[in-house]
Amino acid sequence: MKLSQQQSIGAAVDQWITGVPGRIPGHVIFVENPVHAGYAKTLAGEGSTVLVLNGDKADDGIVAVSGSFDIAGEELLVDGSLSLEIQDYVAIPFVNLVGVTVVRVTTEEDWQAFFDDAEEAMLSGHFVQQLTEVNAVLAERALLSGVARDNLLLTRLHITQDGAVRTGPYGTTIGTVSDSLADLRVRAASLRPESAVAAVHYPWDTQDSLAAKPWIPRYLAALDAWKFIPREDRANTSLVGFGISLYGANPSDGLAPANAPFILKTAAEHNLLDTRTGRLFKIGADAAAIIEAVSNMRDIKAAARVVAPALKVSAAVAEGAARAVVTQFEQLGIPLLGAR
């Protein structure tokens, strides 16, 4: 099998797990019962991927999978080569991640643990180590990161054993195997993102909890940022904005947008990490404080006012320095105020 095909299958599986669109050109369809494989093909447009549990390996129109997709501790084998271990969120701190692990957030206990861990990271800078590993894939990432509803429309479909069609493995039922794709689209059009977990958790609770914590997308971005930091360097590294501020940020300052770069602080130096490209830049302490303030405030004048005392300069001098820093990194293709 060509590498591009392997990558395409991996991207499709990621889209099915996370609900994040754009991993593949079309939508991904997971079929629990191979009897419904033919119907699934009628829903699959160009660029779509059909994953069939215990499917026919000789069928070029599908990707055969085996094992279990919804039992904690079990494995799902995709196309005979991609192995996924399934784990509940509450168990993750006690599990040694050997391979790719799907971290499900389905029960009330899972959700509470997720929010508790996020709060702890914000306050103290302590992250659950397993969640920062490259092979940890957090399920329902689209819901958690606030992907707009319009971008989620039929990103994935899940056909249950008895022929119900859901918006995801734990999503809302929008039809049966007798329905056309057009019918499914109409029924999905009014759904909110939290419908992705409606089959296992009351969606309004999820909506309220996420609305009360608008910084969750930045926390998720921080989990990704750790994956760029070598394991041997992590013990001496802090992510600015999580338990530490370089200018004494107030809660009212808010938090940097999810797509803004991160400042990594060690005892001796500061570095700016652009997680979109993986590029790392060594910066001075003053520049680091300015970048933190600019990213938090998303306004250069406001950032200059709050960072000036830490730099021991006037607001006017701080503003000039801030504009210079912002311009320098914009020329490098790194928007300190977050990508538009």
Side-chain angles (χ1 to χ4, degrees), residues 7-13 15 20-28 47-49 155:
Q7 290 174 327
S8 177
I9 290 173
V13 170
Q15 184 164 307
V20 176
R23 300 311 203 238
I24 60 173
H27 47 267
V28 57
S48 295
T49 299
T155 291

Side-chain angles (χ1 to χ4, degrees), residues 78-155:
V78 181
D79 198 43
S81 59
L82 175 57
S83 179
L84 309 172
E85 182 175 345
I86 312 300
Q87 286 292 349
D88 292 328
Y89 185 92
V90 292
I92 284 300
F94 312 103
V95 174
N96 181 23
L97 305 189
V98 177
V100 178
T101 302
V102 178
V103 184
R104 305 186 308 171
V105 186
T106 55
T107 67
E108 183 175 352
E109 291 76 17
D110 287 330
W111 281 101
Q112 188 60 56
F114 170 79
F115 287 126
D116 287 348
D117 290 341
E119 293 261 16
E120 178 64 24
M122 290 292 299
L123 295 174
S124 71
H126 172 75
F127 291 79
V128 175
Q129 176 188 333
Q130 288 85 341
L131 295 178
T132 67
E133 300 296 335
V134 174
N135 52 4
V137 182
L138 189 60
E140 308 308 333
R141 180 70 180 253
L143 169 61
L144 297 172
S145 59
V147 173
R149 183 184 73 184
D150 291 346
N151 291 333
L152 298 175
L153 193 58
L154 300 191
T155 291

Side-chain angles (χ1 to χ4, degrees), residues 32-314:
E32 293 185 29
N33 188 336
V35 171
H36 302 136
Y39 167 72
K41 290 181 185 180
T42 69
L43 304 178
E46 185 177 356
S48 295
T49 299
V50 179
L51 306 170
V52 182
L53 192 62
N54 300 319
D56 183 358
K57 297 179 181 179
D59 188 341
D60 293 335
I62 68 167
V63 176
V65 300
S66 60
S68 174
F69 76 93
D70 67 344
I71 299 177
E74 296 295 322
E75 289 187 345
L76 184 70
L77 185 63
V78 181
D79 198 43
S81 59
L82 175 57
S83 179
L84 309 172
E85 182 175 345
I86 312 300
Q87 286 292 349
D88 292 328
Y89 185 92
V90 292
I92 284 300
F94 312 103
V95 174
N96 181 23
L97 305 189
V98 177
V100 178
T101 302
V102 178
V103 184
R104 305 186 308 171
V105 186
T106 55
T107 67
E108 183 175 352
E109 291 76 17
D110 287 330
W111 281 101
Q112 188 60 56
F114 170 79
F115 287 126
D116 287 348
D117 290 341
E119 293 261 16
E120 178 64 24
M122 290 292 299
L123 295 174
S124 71
H126 172 75
F127 291 79
V128 175
Q129 176 188 333
Q130 288 85 341
L131 295 178
T132 67
E133 300 296 335
V134 174
N135 52 4
V137 182
L138 189 60
E140 308 308 333
R141 180 70 180 253
L143 169 61
L144 297 172
S145 59
V147 173
R149 183 184 73 184
D150 291 346
N151 291 333
L152 298 175
L153 193 58
L154 300 191
T155 291
R156 57 184 177 171
L157 290 168
H158 189 95
I159 304 175
T160 66
Q161 183 73 24
D162 60 2
V165 181
R166 293 177 175 174
T167 54
Y170 304 108
T172 298
T173 297
I174 56 173
T176 68
V177 290
S178 62
D179 293 319
S180 68
L181 183 61
D183 290 336
L184 299 177
R185 287 190 184 281
V186 169
R187 294 168 192 156
S190 62
L191 296 177
R192 299 179 61 88
E194 59 270 17
S195 66
V197 294
V200 289
H201 193 75
Y202 188 58
W204 305 117
D205 288 349
T206 306
Q207 178 190 24
D208 292 345
S209 296
L210 289 171
K213 300 173 178 63
W215 42 265
I216 288 293
R218 182 62 170 174
Y219 165 68
L220 297 175
L223 292 177
D224 291 340
W226 279 111
K227 297 174 183 179
F228 290 90
I229 304 171
R231 188 183 301 275
E232 61 271 19
D233 295 338
R234 292 185 176 188
N236 299 316
T237 301
S238 299
L239 292 188
V240 172
F242 292 84
I244 180 175
S245 172
L246 302 178
Y247 70 92
N250 295 315
S252 60
D253 290 348
L255 197 65
N259 52 22
F262 284 87
I263 300 169
L264 313 181
K265 182 182 185 303
T266 64
E269 62 183 30
H270 299 82
N271 288 280
L272 182 141
L273 170 66
D274 178 19
T275 55
R276 298 172 307 149
T277 63
R279 288 188 295 174
L280 197 66
F281 301 87
K282 187 174 182 179
I283 56 178
D286 288 351
I290 288 171
I291 291 169
E292 180 194 3
V294 167
S295 295
N296 286 351
M297 307 299 291
R298 309 184 203 187
D299 179 272
I300 292 178
K301 282 185 175 293
R305 288 195 299 270
V306 299
V307 79
L311 302 184
K312 298 180 180 179
V313 298
S314 68

